Amino acid sequence: MNSKAFYSLSYGVYIVSTWDNGRPTGCTANCAAQITSNPATVMVSINKDNFTNSCIRDCGYFAISVLSETSDPSIIGTFGFRSGKDFDKFSQVSYAIKDKMPVLEDCCAYIACKVIDTMDTSTHTVFLGEVIGADTVQNATPMTYSYYHNVIKGKTAKNSPTYQADENEPQVSANKYVCPVCNYVYDGNTPFEELPDDWVCPICGAPKKVFQKR
Ligand code: FE
């Protein structure tokens, strides 16, 4: 099997949100799709190790905020590289309650769903949701997963359904600085050493001081 073939599939970048006993929580996801139009249903695939997975099971509802090319990339790190179990991710972003679900303001559209079925796989739960509300939020181009990789230089979290270990190992030439949390490789015009001390990883928010020279 040539797993490079999987790179031919197209994905977006989403924040899948739900409620944890009245507190909003969620995670970054790249695997979501519309399954039927009438009634409208969509699916998302969420790792069983993600706190969001158990929250969706308990709550019975989820929402998908569709990130755009202009969305702040740090949202992906806030929701993708930390656990909502002990960290209030929504305290880091602007959001609104739409169709009774927490939805990011910095996105191009949202879709709110009631869970009507689930499918267990080895590592992920596929949640099938009947759409209870949806709307556009900002007039912007949806972020594709290839845009996230090629333009933002983001990496795939280990919990993603599309994670491949070799792809995530950064291909770094000498003297590049790498984020140990999300594997982001700094390649800005300003030499890394000259960045201000309060500079943080644009993907996951890790502080400058933890970056490692390769
Ligand atoms: Fe990072």
Side-chain angles (χ1 to χ4, degrees), residues 179 181-184 201 203-206 211:
C179 175
V181 178
C182 73
N183 277 339
Y184 168 80
C201 173
I203 301 297
C204 75
F211 271 64

Side-chain angles (χ1 to χ4, degrees), residues 36 39-42 60 62 113-118 127-131:
T36 60
T41 59
V42 299
F62 64 88
C113 297
K114 178 185 196 304
V115 176
I116 56 171
D117 208 345
T118 63
F127 292 97
L128 180 66
E130 182 168 344
V131 178

Side-chain angles (χ1 to χ4, degrees), residues 27-212:
C27 65
T28 304
N30 68 339
C31 190
Q34 183 174 2
I35 303 299
T36 60
S37 65
N38 189 18
T41 59
V42 299
M43 58 72 63
V44 292
S45 176
I46 305 290
N47 194 291
K48 292 178 186 176
D49 290 338
N50 278 21
F51 181 61
T52 301
N53 187 309
S54 60
C55 292
I56 293 175
R57 286 178 182 278
D58 291 345
C59 169
Y61 292 85
F62 64 88
I64 302 168
S65 297
V66 181
L67 298 189
S68 76
E69 291 182 355
T70 58
S71 294
D72 182 347
S74 72
I75 293 171
I76 300 166
T78 298
F79 282 85
F81 293 96
R82 303 183 72 163
S83 174
K85 195 167 191 172
D86 40 36
F87 175 63
D88 185 4
K89 298 177 178 181
F90 273 87
S91 69
Q92 308 292 305
V93 297
S94 298
Y95 68 98
I97 307 299
K98 296 185 176 178
D99 294 298
K100 299 183 179 175
M101 298 305 294
V103 171
L104 269 68
E105 292 188 343
D106 191 4
C107 72
C108 56
Y110 81 91
I111 301 165
C113 297
K114 178 185 196 304
V115 176
I116 56 171
D117 208 345
T118 63
M119 182 174 74
D120 259 348
T121 72
S122 55
T123 54
H124 289 68
T125 306
V126 178
F127 292 97
L128 180 66
E130 182 168 344
V131 178
I132 57 172
D135 204 356
T136 54
V137 178
Q138 291 179 2
N139 184 18
T141 304
M143 185 189 295
T144 61
Y145 208 50
S146 69
Y147 183 93
Y148 169 65
H149 280 287
N150 298 328
V151 180
I152 299 180
K153 308 289 185 190
K155 301 294 178 184
T156 304
K158 278 203 170 118
N159 279 357
S160 165
T162 60
Y163 174 76
Q164 293 191 27
D166 56 343
E167 172 255 353
N168 228 39
E169 200 44 49
Q171 305 294 311
V172 193
S173 54
N175 297 322
K176 289 279 189 184
Y177 283 84
V178 180
C179 175
V181 178
C182 73
N183 277 339
Y184 168 80
V185 181
Y186 177 75
D187 67 349
N189 293 328
T190 305
F192 186 82
E193 295 82 353
E194 292 175 20
L195 292 171
D197 288 343
D198 60 356
W199 182 89
V200 296
C201 173
I203 301 297
C204 75
K208 178 187 174 187
K209 66 179 183 219
V210 303
F211 271 64
Q212 294 165 352

